[in-house]
Amino acid sequence: MHDPTPARPGADTGAGPGGWLVACLCAAWCRTCDGYRDTLTDAAARRPDWRFAWVDIEDHADALDDPDGAAEDIESFPTLLLVHDGAPHFFGTVLPHAGVLDRLLAQADSGALPPLADPTARRLAGAVQRLWLAQPAAVRLGG
């Protein structure tokens, strides 16, 4: 049965790039990332209207490559990418602590993170969103 109630602004309908997408770009061999996954999963449980993704840069290297086949060199972990309505608002390495993540997400929620013009962040935002749509079960964290 179809529910005619409209979704709240920013709610994840699963249908496209709207709302917030928080992606952790990580590597399976990174022990710091192992522990951070739980931190990100907990954050996903507290923000059910946001999309949270765990993207292994080696397992998904082809999806993250640019059109010329050159992958970004992400060398520091964990690296977070926060995307809202298709535009990146944060791209960088963070300390792997829950408090740091909570403050970053609160800044995003309050509108304190302006869109980034950085071409690498913009390209990766598009790549991660396409990966989310093509392989959600492979990257989705939380519910």
Side-chain angles (χ1 to χ4, degrees), residues 40-108:
L40 210 64
T41 300
D42 291 345
R46 291 190 306 275
R47 294 179 182 271
D49 292 344
W50 292 33
R51 296 168 293 156
F52 285 77
W54 190 262
V55 180
D56 187 302
I57 62 167
E58 293 171 344
D59 289 349
H60 300 289
D62 289 345
L64 298 176
D65 283 350
D66 70 16
D68 297 323
E72 296 303 323
D73 286 333
I74 298 171
E75 298 175 352
S76 299
F77 302 102
T79 295
L80 289 184
L81 175 66
L82 275 66
V83 180
H84 188 261
D85 292 338
H89 287 253
F90 180 87
F91 175 56
T93 306
V94 296
L95 292 173
H97 304 294
V100 172
L101 177 62
D102 289 342
R103 284 189 298 278
L104 181 62
L105 299 182
Q107 286 180 307

Side-chain angles (χ1 to χ4, degrees), residues 105-134:
L105 299 182
Q107 286 180 307
D109 208 17
S110 73
L113 299 176
L116 301 176
D118 176 66
T120 298
R122 295 181 72 78
R123 192 187 59 68
L124 280 173
V128 169
Q129 288 179 110
R130 287 188 298 277
L131 184 60
W132 176 272
L133 292 173

Side-chain angles (χ1 to χ4, degrees), residues 3-24:
D3 181 1
T5 307
R8 290 186 291 128
D12 174 21
T13 63
W20 282 104
L21 170 62
V22 179
C24 183

